[in-house]
Amino acid sequence: MKRLFALTVLLLSAVATAQEVRLPDYERVVLDNGVVLLLAEKHEVPLVGLQAVVRGGTAADPTERAGMASLLAALLEKGAGDRDAASFAEAAAAVGGHISTDAETESIMVIADFLSRDAELMIELVADMLLRPTLSEDEFLKEQQRAIALLQAAKGSNPRALIGSYGRAFLFGDHPYGNPPYGSEASLAQITHEELVQHYANHFGGDRLIVSVVGDFDIAAMRTRLTDAFGKWGPAGSPLTPVETIGPLSGRRVLLVDKPGSAQSYFLIGNISVAIDYPQRAELQLANTLFGGRFTSTLMTALRTEGGLTYHASSSVSRHSAAGSMFIHSYTQTATTVEALDLAIEKLGELHRRGVDEDMLASARNYIMGQFPPTLEPASSLANLFAFLEANGLDRSYIDAYGAALDAATPVTVHNAVSEVYPLVDDLVIILIGDAAAIRESMTKYGPVTEVSITEPRFRVYQ
């Protein structure tokens, strides 16, 4: 949700303390069929932002059918109600509106931004997408071939875009979080139109739906419109299966994806982390900002500024309803693969041993609070945030208490979070895409190596 609000950031950072950043009030309504409405008026500009969330997402893809959710999300845009693909796109474009879909780990989303005068059209289009999608077989075949072609193109020219799919598949194995979000060449090719239509019937329904709307409207009138649009939608055909948490892996293991002749090695280093309800979220965000979450982070300083080994190095912690992943991300020239890996692992070890000090924490707090307030400004960002909280069972204290939690963090509490979330250097999963002939032998120092060709049409490699 990053936005270019540089002036706003400067003003808010200058006059507001962390504790003053609070979530605006909003109305929560649960309809008889289970649909949750989240509504907030915001009249500064004549815009309305909407986010509809259907619980499920890529984690609900059937075994051997990874990519089903992403295909379905794409197909929702290709005609709905009485409109075919072209006329549906034109309906939004004709009034300057925007409507799109996305498949995430635990949800399929519809995102819309319209002028307030066109809110009725926006609701009509979103309702058609969710309740009355065309799901044309012709459009399905086009999207299926396009998705496969994009994966094949990435293997040839942009392997960095695939490292996450290899990483999650190797780390989580058969677990739902191991599903590659956009599928694989093999899994996509196996999906039939009939299966996709059935997946829609199984996973779309009023009991799965959250609709969050923020902007220039009358809240009572908007409530009535949304109730009329979604209030009679029946339940999904199948119950939503909770995702189970699995613990971090012990020891080291390496996945080497061979791309012959590659001039660079792309790599991830990490392990399973924590879930969305992790209580020391503020400490975790502070730690990650310092370690790999900004340009002046430890990883960037070591690998790029001082080491000259890469243009980019970062770390991320993905948290979902169950424990997600923690990864270091970077790439380097083939000849410096070992040097870059060793340095990244060394810095991870130092994070555990040395922790952070008060000056470092102050810097990280200022950075986070400079980035955070602007996400509460645009109607579309607020709609996204309300939906996020609802989908994850979180209340407004997740936002309202965040600034105070940042201020209360100490070097000791941050170190505790590091110990709980960041893997020890002896317990690492390492994933590389590179020229195996050049780096195969040197990779054995990091642990048992599983090797697969980049031409293999699957991401999952079972240990």
Side-chain angles (χ1 to χ4, degrees):
M1 301 191 291
K2 288 185 179 179
R3 307 279 186 173
L4 296 178
F5 292 108
L7 180 59
T8 306
V9 170
L10 289 174
L11 290 172
L12 285 168
S13 297
V15 303
T17 65
Q19 291 92 332
E20 292 173 336
V21 179
R22 295 179 58 83
L23 194 67
D25 291 335
Y26 63 99
E27 178 181 282
R28 180 180 186 271
V29 179
V30 182
L31 304 184
D32 291 342
N33 62 343
V35 173
V36 178
L37 307 180
L38 309 170
L39 309 172
E41 295 183 16
K42 188 174 176 60
H43 299 289
E44 290 85 352
V45 292
L47 296 173
V48 177
L50 179 151
Q51 181 149 325
V53 173
V54 179
R55 297 181 183 90
T58 63
D61 284 348
T63 303
E64 299 300 323
R65 296 295 187 273
M68 181 78 81
S70 63
L71 272 183
L72 178 54
L75 219 59
L76 295 179
E77 299 183 38
K78 304 302 180 182
D82 296 329
R83 298 177 175 90
D84 62 15
S87 59
F88 188 90
E90 175 60 26
V95 298
H98 169 265
I99 190 164
S100 62
T101 61
D102 189 27
E104 296 200 341
T105 302
E106 294 182 306
S107 67
I108 292 179
M109 301 188 302
V110 178
I111 305 101
D113 295 282
F114 281 70
L115 290 170
S116 54
R117 70 185 185 194
D118 301 311
E120 188 171 352
L121 172 63
M122 175 186 71
I123 295 169
E124 176 189 336
L125 294 175
V126 172
D128 280 345
M129 293 175 81
L130 292 173
L131 278 72
R132 296 171 288 276
T134 304
L135 303 181
S136 156
E137 185 169 10
D138 287 344
E139 295 294 341
F140 162 75
L141 293 172
K142 291 177 186 177
E143 286 300 321
Q144 183 184 45
Q145 292 305 311
R146 176 177 175 273
I148 292 172
L150 287 173
L151 289 174
Q152 292 170 338
K155 288 183 175 184
S157 61
N158 187 24
R160 186 180 176 190
L162 305 177
I163 190 72
S165 291
Y166 283 111
R168 285 185 291 270
F170 193 64
L171 176 59
F172 286 101
D174 287 330
H175 188 275
Y177 292 165
N179 290 341
Y182 300 104
S184 66
E185 295 161 82
S187 66
L188 288 167
Q190 292 182 62
I191 298 172
T192 67
H193 179 249
E194 291 77 16
E195 289 174 334
L196 183 133
V197 172
Q198 187 60 52
H199 189 80
Y200 167 81
N202 289 343
H203 293 275
F204 273 53
D207 58 332
R208 299 274 192 101
L209 180 63
I210 301 163
V211 182
S212 177
V213 190
V214 178
D216 184 28
F217 55 80
D218 175 77
I219 201 165
M222 180 60 71
R223 187 192 316 119
T224 298
R225 285 177 173 176
L226 294 172
T227 301
D228 290 344
F230 300 105
K232 295 181 180 179
W233 196 15
S238 299
L240 183 60
T241 303
V243 178
E244 295 183 0
T245 285
I246 58 176
L249 305 181
S250 298
R252 287 190 181 183
R253 62 193 68 184
V254 180
L255 173 66
L256 174 57
V257 182
D258 182 23
K259 181 172 170 54
S262 177
Q264 293 182 315
S265 296
Y266 306 84
F267 63 84
L268 298 178
I269 305 170
N271 211 320
I272 292 169
S273 62
V274 291
I276 193 69
D277 60 357
Y278 180 66
Q280 287 188 277
R281 164 183 166 234
E283 284 86 354
L284 176 55
Q285 187 64 36
L286 288 164
N288 197 65
T289 296
L290 292 166
F291 184 60
R294 61 181 181 178
F295 187 80
T296 56
S297 69
T298 297
L299 288 173
M300 279 290 283
T301 299
L303 272 73
R304 174 177 170 159
T305 307
E306 297 175 354
L309 298 171
T310 186
Y311 282 107
H312 180 78
S314 64
S315 62
S316 65
V317 180
S318 299
R319 297 177 298 131
H320 310 295
S321 64
S325 60
M326 181 277 149
F327 277 126
I328 295 169
H329 315 247
S330 194
Y331 59 93
T332 190
Q333 294 294 312
T334 300
T336 55
T337 301
V338 171
E339 184 179 358
L341 282 172
D342 285 349
L343 187 54
I345 294 171
E346 176 187 334
K347 294 304 170 182
L348 176 61
E350 288 181 2
L351 178 65
H352 279 282
R353 293 193 305 275
R354 299 180 183 177
V356 300
D357 59 33
E358 289 287 0
D359 289 341
M360 295 166 70
L361 283 187
S363 173
R365 284 192 196 98
N366 291 337
Y367 179 85
I368 292 170
M369 292 313 300
Q371 301 289 312
F372 181 54
T375 66
L376 306 183
E377 286 300 312
S380 57
S381 293
L382 275 175
N384 176 291
L385 184 53
F386 293 152
F388 166 81
L389 295 176
E390 181 68 29
N392 289 285
L394 304 169
D395 60 31
R396 63 176 301 130
S397 66
Y398 190 82
I399 301 300
D400 294 351
Y402 185 49
L406 288 171
D407 282 346
T410 67
V412 172
T413 62
V414 171
H415 187 265
N416 290 340
V418 168
S419 299
E420 293 174 347
V421 179
Y422 287 77
L424 298 172
V425 297
D426 291 332
D427 297 320
L428 297 176
V429 174
I430 301 171
I431 301 96
L432 300 101
I433 302 176
D435 186 353
I439 62 176
R440 179 183 294 119
E441 184 176 351
S442 58
M443 291 303 101
T444 59
K445 68 178 269 188
Y446 300 106
V449 178
T450 300
E451 185 175 327
V452 61
S453 171
I454 200 168
T455 60
E456 167 65 39
R458 293 175 175 81
F459 289 110
R460 272 192 167 105
V461 179
Y462 301 102
Q463 293 87 8

